[in-house]
Amino acid sequence: MYEYKNSEFVVSGTEHWVAWPTRPRWQLVTRFVATVVFLPCWVVLGIAIFLGTLAIGLVTEVIAAVSSSYEKAFDRFMDRAMGRVFTLPRWCVLWSEVRHEGDADHYRAEVDKLLARWTAKASAPRVPKKPLPPSECEIPRRAYRGCGGHYVVQAAAVQGWELRPSEPEKSVRLWWSASS
């Protein structure tokens, strides 16, 4: 984990978050074929796990009425299980990655598009009786692989985002500073 205390260090401490090397074409094509073959199985497995945890959740309601610690532990388990199942596995390669591998401009445009979407959500006016707009976001490595995490931090700082403790090998976490 990286911890940053102020925005000066954020801008000057992320220069080593550069773009990853371009992967060989044969590796991308092989991973894309594996994605096309195994991703439907992954989706079916995710639905099965969801239905299984839903069934367990019904039984858990009875136990949770008696034990609050069980309820907290089960909630943590559900968050982890559903988070892993409903996110795209890291080994997957999408068609856009096969087409644009090594194209830094494409990855910069992807990052800019994601940041614009998150900024629009975070800066939306608060509507009464609705949840607060998000004040944190996470940009996955898949989006900034070709331009590096440093570009994400720079582009986000321009739009009013600040860096949160992040692991650039997985994702870059940001916080909307205007929310406080």
Side-chain angles (χ1 to χ4, degrees):
M1 282 279 192
Y2 300 96
E3 287 211 31
Y4 299 108
K5 303 297 182 195
N6 60 28
S7 57
E8 288 177 14
F9 185 67
V10 169
V11 175
S12 65
T14 60
E15 290 89 12
H16 62 280
W17 292 5
V18 295
W20 276 267
T22 304
R23 296 172 283 189
R25 186 85 173 156
W26 65 268
Q27 184 185 36
L28 287 172
V29 171
T30 304
R31 284 186 174 194
F32 177 71
V33 170
T35 300
V36 169
V37 171
F38 292 116
L39 200 56
C41 299
W42 185 264
V43 170
V44 169
L45 177 68
I47 292 170
I49 289 173
F50 176 73
L51 292 175
T53 53
L54 189 63
I56 293 170
L58 294 174
V59 175
T60 297
E61 285 299 318
V62 174
I63 298 170
V66 179
S67 171
S68 64
S69 62
Y70 177 79
E71 183 179 10
K72 290 177 187 174
F74 187 73
D75 284 345
R76 282 194 310 268
F77 166 74
M78 288 288 288
D79 287 342
R80 273 193 312 230
M82 293 300 116
R84 288 183 182 165
V85 169
F86 290 116
T87 57
L88 201 59
R90 287 179 48 186
W91 53 264
C92 285
V93 171
L94 303 176
W95 178 245
S96 63
E97 291 177 80
V98 174
R99 286 183 36 219
H100 298 290
E101 182 72 16
D103 182 9
D105 292 333
H106 169 75
Y107 285 101
R108 285 188 190 105
E110 285 294 314
V111 167
D112 292 339
K113 193 180 343 175
L114 274 173
L115 285 173
R117 190 177 320 141
W118 278 106
T119 303
K121 285 181 186 179
S123 63
R126 183 171 186 265
V127 179
K129 296 187 180 181
K130 293 277 184 168
L132 291 173
S135 61
E136 287 194 25
C137 76
E138 193 167 341
I139 308 295
R141 182 178 95 170
R142 182 179 309 283
Y144 64 85
R145 177 177 175 75
C147 62
H150 183 65
Y151 177 77
V152 175
V153 174
Q154 286 180 329
V158 169
Q159 296 186 23
W161 293 90
E162 292 179 9
L163 184 62
R164 302 297 289 171
S166 300
E167 295 181 46
E169 301 84 26
K170 295 179 183 176
S171 64
V172 173
R173 295 179 56 225
L174 302 167
W175 176 68
W176 181 249
S177 57
S179 67
S180 59

